[in-house]
Amino acid sequence: MCGIVGYIGKRDATPILMEGLHRLEYRGYDSAGLAVARNEKLQVIKTKGKVRDLERILPERIKGMTGIAHTRWATHGEPSDRNAHPHTDTSERFAIVHNGIIENAASLRTKLEASGVTFRSETDSEVIAHLLAASPADTLEDSLRSVLRLVTGTYGIAVLDAQRPESIVIARNGSPVVIGIGDREMFVASDPAALVRHTQSVVHLDDGELAVVRADGYETSTLDGGATAKTPLTIPWTDESFDKGEFSHYMRKEIAEQPDAIRRTLSGRLEPRFQTTHIGGLEMAARELLEVKRIKILGCGSAYIAGSLGAHLIEQLARLPASAEPASEFRYRNPVIEQDTLYIAVSQSGETFDTLAAVQEVKRKGGRVLGIVNVVGSTIARECARGIYLHAGPEIAVVSTKTFTSTVVAFALLAVHLGRLKDLSTAQGARLLAALQALPDQVATILNQEARIATLAQRFARHENAYFVGRAAGFPIAMEGALKLKEISYLHAEAYPASELKHGPLALISPETPTVIVMPRDDLYAKNLSTIEEIRARSGPTFVITQPGDPLPMPVDAVIEVPKSEAVLDPLLLNIPLQLLAYHVALARGRNIDQPRNLAKSVTVE
């Protein structure tokens, strides 16, 4: 992986390809390149580094009306000029860009080398270009079909033939590829974000599909050659949605957008007449929902942590057993899929490969699965067919902020809906609806504390290790706070249940290891005070995230207060200061906040 762009039409392809690459920079990458066809020859330029580094080495005249481009996130071979995409065959007739992993690349490479092929890179992707050159098929699409029958693994792929530049051929298995429909011009991308300046009408390929894209249209088919019918979808985002505006970083912009993101997630879904919520995308009648005896939530990274909070919400409000599990481990334990269990897949991008594989495992075994995703028309959304769209707007920074918050809000909507079907009273429903409506303004008041949090971050940034603790629903918030801090500041951070601190981690507490204590003023408040005393007794710095009330009975290094909500929604508000803390620690340490090292926004490989 990471990003694919393609263009075919009447305009010069190079500026469009470069613009698309810039749009995909948020996904994380280590090299970039493009290939443009002209006069039956390929012009290939690629380099290690950023898209701006590619711009510096582009010849003044690299022209052509058909081209493909790529940003790479290394899987096989270190980041380097020669490992950058596009890759070509020996004669430089075929160029390919590829997201995914070819699992049998080593054996294919051995066979090709035995036939006299010399490889120029260490990548798995290059084998595709050489296999295309060896194919006896008459058309590019048939050549690609024959190649893909030989490979094992995942791919989103675009192929260009210098001698037949009237088409780009694309294919998909486990890694997204979309077609953008223009006026006598067509676009290709791994993410609709690359296309929004030129079109809002897109076609998503499904796994096992191939498409021939020409300036005047496209044809889709299966790998066996059978025609398929596709319905274009409208991208709900505009080009302006992808600008940073007044902010220095996308992450900071997206933190600031959370009040509006929450409003969009709530919009049209509150039903005050019956003190419940309305979630049309569930497509499950009350009777079917009442048959559910257990809920299991699947996600990776922040999506898994949001799922942990979602499980807490569902258990508290609907009194249904609920749990969250990393989707990346789910299918490898040969899970028992129960007919009275509802599975929920969580993914901001809707393309996370591990989560998609978990969804397919549930469906293969006859289970019911819903999706909670942000990107309309994404693979997981289409695979699940029903669920909840976040409508949080595009999230460009690699780390999740507003989509994490909107995901928790979506779980709250679901929990209220399920609870009102069961034992949640109208009075409780009314309080929860009022609390949900109050969230945007409450988040805005927390954001007003940014200057003070930034000052605390300066102290935090001097350390190399930190700990986050919380109890009950506070523990997932501690997990999310630790994850954000290490993702973007590279400061080592770990999260523990506060009750587990004395069972081992306390050995690591020292004056050089600050601890963030997530402690709402709930039934466990007194126990959290005891945790603070345990840390202070070892001279550990303590930073407390809490709510207004009586002053703490002991001195601490800092207290950040957030507004009080309904108890089950308090964790959502307690998380906001931790986002700002991570951002300002990373800023103080001079990190690349929007594109942290080694990470990608959408993880489409296993």
Side-chain angles (χ1 to χ4, degrees), residues 281-282 284 288 296-298 330 337 341-346 355-356 358-364 366-372 380-381 383-387:
L282 289 184
M284 294 179 70
E288 185 180 1
K296 292 190 176 180
I297 302 165
L298 306 169
F330 178 73
I337 304 300
T341 297
L342 178 63
Y343 297 85
I344 301 176
V346 184
T355 307
L356 175 60
V359 168
Q360 292 169 336
E361 177 74 359
V362 172
K363 291 179 65 178
R364 187 180 68 81
R368 292 177 290 187
V369 60
L370 303 177
I372 295 182
I380 291 172
E383 189 79 28
C384 292
R386 54 186 180 178

Side-chain angles (χ1 to χ4, degrees), residues 308-318 408-409 411-412 415 568-569:
S308 298
L309 278 170
H312 177 81
L313 282 160
I314 290 166
E315 286 204 338
Q316 295 301 306
L317 299 182
V408 177
V409 171
F411 273 117
V568 292
L569 297 177

Side-chain angles (χ1 to χ4, degrees), residues 87-99:
H87 291 291
T88 64
D89 67 305
T90 304
S91 69
E92 297 192 350
R93 172 182 172 181
F94 299 99
I96 69 103
V97 290
H98 166 236
N99 288 346

